[in-house]
Amino acid sequence: MSERKRERKRRARPQTSHSRERKSASAANEDSNRIDKISENATDTHSSTRRWRFRGMFLSLVVLIGIGAYWGIPTYLLHRGENALQAGHYDDAERYFELSQSWPSQRSAAILGRIKVARFTGETSRALAMLATARAQGVSESQSKLERSLLQIQCGHSESIVDEVPSLLVQFPERGSEILEAVVTRFATRGDPERALQHVNDWIEADPGNARALALKGEILATLGKTTEAESFFRQAIRLNPALQKARYSLARLLKLLGRYDEAIELFDAELQHTPQDVRLRLLRCDTLLQARRNQEAIEGLREVIKLDDLNFPARHSLASELAEQGEYAEVIETLQPLVNEFSNDTSINYLLATAYDDQGNRERAEQYMQRYLDGRKHLDELALQTQGDDIDSAGSRVLIEIAKGYLKYQWDQSEVWIVKAIQRSSGSPESFLLMAEFQRKKGDKEREAEYRRAARND
């Protein structure tokens, strides 16, 4: 049989069991491979799904954190600002409100908070400046109107504004204490302590646990010469609210007035443990040290103030005065030198420098500063006559602005009261706001200078 025929017969024979097993194993392997591939695909799909789910959860978390930060952080800062405001920590309150103002979600509330700080600290012109731009920054008309009413109650000229108090108490019951405090402050600052006492008693009757009311009553009693009662009310206020800085400051000032200097200084020192950067507190402490004749401690304290605020006029002026008393004229010149350009016409600076250069044997410089002093005194005498006239209370804003300009030039730290009157009388004219900006520039407060310039532009 040929080879070809044998091959055809071999192929035609049925497959053996061994051949079938090999084929079955091969098919099984192919099926297993297909299952593995399907499983791998399923695993990849599941892993991909998990990855996308994780990404979705992560993105959702980021969004939630963003929303929480958008609302939570400024709300927290605002809350801290309100607490600091009520405790009388006005610098802290201002800082918290400034921080929250940068967040759009709480901008209007933060601006209102800063207006309250200005009103509580008696900075009427600054409050008016911020109100001039409040509407443009999202503050509602009703809140702007209330703040303006409170300012008018606290420092306005018309007595009829007080008649609006009952209506305001009905409209804004949640701000009743602020409204009553504005009324009390009005009469206290206008030299009418009896009416102020009447209103603060009404306030305490309505809210007997209000530490601010008790502290304010203490201040009124101190004005009336009832110092023992005043001290008692200050201590009551501190017991009710140990964080109330207003009460502690007032108590320290009362002790200073009573000549209990060591007790007052002890209170100031305790305050400085909490607020070591408080320049105003440090200056008050230094003044108390001087009255206690602890002059060397006062000098060291004034030097500390200058380290914190290099161009602080009261600190440098007081330090130079003390050094002059001790005959340290070379140091007097060194202390005053940074102020010379900004306060070239200030009478007190020129007198101290004239005396110091005369002692140093520099007659030319001494005569130069003495002539400036004499020129300044002449202008100040003219301003004194002008401000003592019977018609000064009814003077127009233009007269008040000119008086303010005169003091700003020759005795700058006496100009603020006249600038404030000009702002009130002119309803915050651009010129009066610019004058206050100049005052703040001399004071070294660039932020408040910028506020008044914005108010002048009304933006």
Side-chain angles (χ1 to χ4, degrees):
M1 182 180 296
S2 68
E3 187 65 31
R4 188 175 296 175
K5 287 181 179 180
R6 280 198 298 271
E7 180 63 23
R8 281 200 298 268
K9 285 181 179 181
R10 186 180 64 77
R11 291 181 179 179
R13 283 197 301 266
Q15 292 179 340
T16 63
S17 60
H18 181 67
S19 298
R20 286 196 297 270
E21 287 174 3
R22 282 191 300 176
K23 182 176 182 181
S24 176
S26 177
N29 287 335
E30 290 178 4
D31 289 342
S32 176
N33 289 336
R34 282 197 298 272
I35 290 170
D36 289 342
K37 288 181 180 179
I38 291 170
S39 178
E40 287 176 6
N41 291 337
T43 302
D44 290 344
T45 303
H46 181 65
S47 298
S48 178
T49 303
R50 289 182 61 188
R51 283 197 299 272
W52 279 108
R53 187 178 299 162
F54 176 77
R55 289 175 184 171
M57 290 173 64
F58 178 75
L59 289 172
S60 298
L61 182 62
V62 170
V63 170
L64 287 173
I65 291 172
I67 292 172
Y70 183 79
W71 291 102
I73 292 175
T75 301
Y76 169 77
L77 293 171
L78 198 66
H79 176 71
R80 293 292 299 270
E82 289 290 348
N83 286 345
L85 180 67
Q86 291 305 315
H89 299 165
Y90 299 120
D91 288 341
D92 289 342
E94 179 77 15
R95 185 173 67 256
Y96 284 124
F97 287 137
E98 274 192 287
L99 288 171
S100 58
Q101 186 177 335
S102 61
W103 297 74
S105 62
Q106 296 292 356
R107 181 168 296 151
S108 62
I111 292 168
L112 284 172
R114 296 183 68 200
I115 292 171
K116 289 180 192 178
V117 171
R119 177 163 53 79
F120 277 21
T121 55
E123 296 179 275
T124 309
S125 60
R126 181 167 171 255
L128 287 170
M130 285 188 285
L131 274 171
T133 61
R135 292 294 303 282
Q137 298 185 65
V139 177
S140 69
E141 184 176 358
S142 63
Q143 290 298 324
S144 293
K145 186 176 179 181
L146 173 60
E147 287 300 330
R148 198 171 290 278
S149 295
L150 289 173
L151 280 170
Q152 290 173 346
I153 290 169
Q154 186 169 313
C155 57
H157 294 284
S158 174
E159 287 287 331
S160 62
I161 189 66
V162 180
D163 297 335
E164 295 184 18
V165 169
S167 174
L168 290 174
L169 288 170
V170 172
Q171 293 179 60
F172 304 95
E174 74 283 359
R175 297 185 66 182
S177 288
E178 285 184 61
I179 295 168
L180 292 171
E181 184 170 353
V183 178
V184 175
T185 304
R186 175 189 182 87
F187 293 113
T189 55
R190 286 172 176 267
D192 193 347
E194 296 293 347
R195 287 184 73 182
L197 189 60
Q198 175 190 338
H199 286 287
V200 81
N201 284 335
D202 292 340
W203 182 11
I204 292 171
E205 184 178 351
D207 189 3
N210 192 302
R212 288 185 68 88
L214 294 170
L216 196 47
K217 182 172 181 177
E219 291 180 0
I220 296 165
L221 289 169
T223 303
L224 291 168
K226 300 178 180 181
T227 55
T228 302
E229 292 179 63
E231 183 177 348
S232 173
F233 274 96
F234 289 142
R235 294 193 185 279
Q236 284 183 56
I238 293 168
R239 280 196 297 273
L240 280 170
N241 184 359
L244 184 58
Q245 193 176 57
K246 178 182 178 68
R248 295 198 305 269
Y249 269 27
S250 297
L251 177 59
R253 284 194 293 265
L254 177 65
L255 295 174
K256 175 175 176 281
L257 178 68
L258 295 173
R260 292 158 63 180
Y261 301 124
D262 291 341
E263 292 179 67
I265 292 165
E266 187 178 341
L267 281 175
F268 291 138
D269 287 341
E271 287 297 305
L272 284 172
Q273 294 294 319
H274 301 290
T275 55
Q277 306 297 315
D278 192 331
V279 169
R280 286 175 293 183
L281 177 59
R282 285 182 176 276
L283 286 171
L284 191 56
R285 176 182 177 274
C286 289
D287 186 54
T288 309
L289 285 167
L290 289 172
Q291 293 195 25
R293 299 187 183 282
R294 292 162 60 174
N295 297 58
Q296 197 56 43
E297 290 178 70
I299 287 173
E300 292 306 315
L302 291 167
R303 285 175 174 149
E304 288 297 320
V305 171
I306 292 170
K307 286 180 183 177
L308 292 171
D309 184 3
D310 184 56
L311 296 178
N312 187 285
F313 180 93
R316 285 191 175 274
H317 184 270
S318 295
L319 178 58
S321 298
E322 285 305 306
L323 292 170
E325 288 287 330
Q326 297 182 8
E328 301 289 342
Y329 290 110
E331 197 172 348
V332 168
I333 295 170
E334 181 183 349
T335 300
L336 294 178
Q337 202 58 45
L339 303 177
V340 169
N341 290 335
E342 184 65 61
F343 303 96
S344 59
N345 294 294
D346 187 89
T347 52
S348 58
I349 294 290
N350 286 324
Y351 181 80
L352 283 169
L353 286 170
T355 306
Y357 277 114
D358 183 66
D359 178 82
Q360 297 293 295
N362 191 333
R363 298 287 183 269
E364 183 179 352
R365 299 296 295 276
E367 289 176 7
Q368 173 189 349
Y369 284 109
M370 182 56 70
Q371 188 59 54
R372 288 185 186 178
Y373 164 74
L374 293 172
D375 290 343
R377 283 296 341 156
K378 179 181 176 182
H379 287 289
L380 287 175
D381 290 342
E382 292 172 356
L383 286 169
L385 289 173
Q386 191 175 359
T387 56
Q388 290 169 6
D390 294 334
D391 58 346
I392 191 63
D393 289 335
S394 59
S397 61
R398 171 49 52 190
V399 172
L400 295 172
I401 284 174
E402 291 304 317
I403 291 172
K405 284 181 178 179
Y407 277 113
L408 194 59
K409 185 174 183 180
Y410 300 107
Q411 196 174 2
W412 79 278
D413 50 341
Q414 297 298 312
S415 66
E416 185 177 18
V417 62
W418 300 103
I419 301 173
V420 170
K421 287 181 178 181
I423 289 173
Q424 292 174 313
R425 198 66 55 85
S426 64
S427 298
S429 69
E431 186 177 8
S432 58
F433 279 143
L434 286 173
L435 202 58
M436 183 59 85
E438 179 66 12
F439 175 82
Q440 296 298 333
R441 187 180 69 80
K442 282 182 173 290
K443 190 177 176 182
D445 195 330
K446 294 181 180 179
E447 290 183 7
R448 296 194 179 180
E449 176 193 354
E451 281 181 5
Y452 285 110
R453 295 199 186 281
R454 283 196 299 270
R457 296 191 303 266
N458 195 22
D459 61 13

